[in-house]
Amino acid sequence: MKVVVVGIANQQTALPVGGFPVEYEAVRFVPGQIRHTVGGVGFNVARTLSALGHMVALASPLGEDYPAAMVDAEAYRFSISTHLCRRDLRRTPRSIVLYDRTGRRQANVDLADAVDFTFSEEHLAPDLFRAKLVVLGNLDMVRPLIAPVVARGRRLAVDLQDVRGADNPHDEEFLQADYLNMSNEYVRGSEREVLLALREKSRARVLTMTLAEHGALVLDRTMAEPAHVPAPEVEPRNTAGAGDIAFAKFLHVHLKLKEDPVAAMARGVAAASSYVATDAAQGTQTPAQLRTVLGLSPVNETASSAPEIPWNDFTIEV
């Protein structure tokens, strides 16, 4: 399945801390634990869908600097095409993720001038309209893409970040998506009400809400109430990116394997739980590690340096 993912890709530094709040120390020695990789919701979703076997093109605003080179190199390792990425920024976005022994994390994000960037359909055509699935973050930079994607009848999935209730003017346009995903980070205690209200306000076929260690909720057009998908008990190391993996695996299982939404989200939650308990969650990961997390057979690590898809043929229908 051809997929276009439009969102943030950034240089990411993972740093362990003793706990939150972080106590002051003049110097901390953490040998082998400061890890540099690539993150961002857009990249996390693209990486997961590519590992699941889809032909993925990532569209993200980048600069002409070393973090952009990291994004390109990591995309190459995971067979993601970056031909839709724009190189117009002064600085590529970057982040520092602090995480403690319980798996709690704090993401410190510097989007640089990406906050002023806007994608147009001309930037991404014709790939945007030949993809079987388009995945967007609820970012201002992607608003011009919503109407043309919906008009062309492409499947549209949106990850709603920082949901604090159903009545948020910022998200109104994004409620046209076929699939809406969100976290309960800021709506704990009112998850059911928020999901039901968003279903009424949106045209979404399925709404999913991740609940961290408690799993996820799923609601489609036929359900009277959200269904709870529990998570297996694991000892988390770092939870950054877990929700992105759950959502991507859900989309794969539901759309490609044709499983019902609850069963698909159960497999997404299982993959996310497996991820947070592995070394891969603490920073850099290999294609083989990600495939194992996703429940796929491992591949020869020496073959991971070459892309599995013809990047320059992305626009050719097969």
Side-chain angles (χ1 to χ4, degrees):
M1 184 167 69
K2 292 183 178 179
V3 184
V4 170
V5 179
V6 191
I8 293 296
N10 57 256
Q11 177 200 4
Q12 179 174 291
T13 300
L15 173 66
V17 296
F20 294 102
V22 178
E23 293 188 12
Y24 171 76
E25 294 180 71
V27 178
R28 293 177 61 231
F29 292 97
V30 285
Q33 297 183 70
I34 298 177
R35 304 185 183 183
H36 301 287
T37 184
V38 176
V41 174
F43 194 88
N44 293 339
V45 170
R47 176 166 46 198
T48 304
L49 287 171
S50 181
L52 287 164
H54 300 282
M55 185 182 291
V56 180
L58 172 69
S60 187
L62 305 173
E64 291 282 4
D65 50 16
Y66 75 87
M70 288 183 65
V71 172
D72 284 326
E74 193 75 351
Y76 186 81
R77 283 209 309 147
F78 284 89
S79 302
I80 302 166
S81 172
T82 57
H83 74 278
L84 295 178
C85 289
R86 303 290 296 183
R87 315 287 168 152
D88 304 325
L89 303 186
R90 293 188 301 274
R91 295 173 70 247
T92 295
R94 56 206 73 193
S95 68
I96 298 176
V97 178
L98 310 181
Y99 63 95
D100 68 10
R101 297 183 184 90
T102 70
R104 292 190 305 164
R105 84 291 186 269
Q106 179 193 74
N108 301 269
V109 181
D110 175 10
L111 294 179
D113 49 326
V115 296
D116 300 318
F117 180 85
T118 302
F119 275 106
S120 70
E121 59 181 291
E122 290 76 16
H123 289 151
L124 308 182
D127 302 301
L128 187 69
F129 307 121
R130 292 181 174 176
K132 300 298 184 184
L133 172 67
V134 176
V135 185
L136 306 178
N138 62 334
L139 305 165
D140 287 333
M141 70 176 67
V142 306
R143 288 187 189 278
L145 307 178
I146 299 171
V149 167
V150 172
R152 297 290 188 103
R154 301 296 86 185
R155 288 195 188 105
L156 177 60
V158 170
D159 196 331
L160 296 175
Q161 299 291 305
D162 301 331
V163 170
R164 298 171 189 267
D167 299 314
N168 183 356
H170 174 86
D171 287 336
E172 290 292 335
E173 289 178 87
F174 296 101
L175 301 186
Q176 299 178 65
D178 301 290
Y179 302 93
L180 289 173
N181 183 61
M182 67 211 77
S183 164
N184 75 329
E185 182 80 23
Y186 299 109
V187 295
R188 289 175 181 169
S190 58
E191 291 92 342
R192 171 186 175 275
E193 292 77 10
V194 169
L195 274 180
L196 290 171
L198 281 173
R199 182 174 66 176
E200 292 303 309
K201 292 172 64 71
S202 74
R203 62 183 290 273
R205 303 178 192 179
V206 184
L207 301 92
T208 53
M209 179 182 286
T210 55
L211 313 173
E213 72 273 17
H214 300 297
L217 294 174
V218 181
L219 182 67
D220 70 12
R221 291 289 165 185
T222 70
M223 297 175 179
E225 294 287 333
H228 178 230
V229 176
E233 289 189 16
V234 298
E235 187 172 324
R237 302 189 182 189
N238 181 5
T239 58
D244 306 329
I245 287 178
F247 186 39
K249 183 68 182 278
F250 160 80
L251 292 171
H252 167 74
V253 175
H254 180 53
L255 297 178
K256 184 68 175 180
L257 304 186
K258 309 299 183 183
E259 294 193 17
D260 69 81
V262 175
M265 197 61 195
R267 292 179 66 174
V269 167
S273 297
S274 176
Y275 170 76
V276 302
T278 65
D279 287 337
Q282 295 178 284
T284 55
Q285 59 188 268
T286 67
Q289 284 176 319
L290 184 55
R291 287 179 60 84
T292 299
V293 162
L294 295 171
L296 305 172
S297 58
V299 294
N300 186 343
E301 201 63 59
T302 61
S304 65
S305 60
E308 299 174 2
I309 61 173
W311 293 2
N312 59 342
D313 289 340
F314 186 85
T315 59
I316 298 177
E317 284 293 341
V318 295

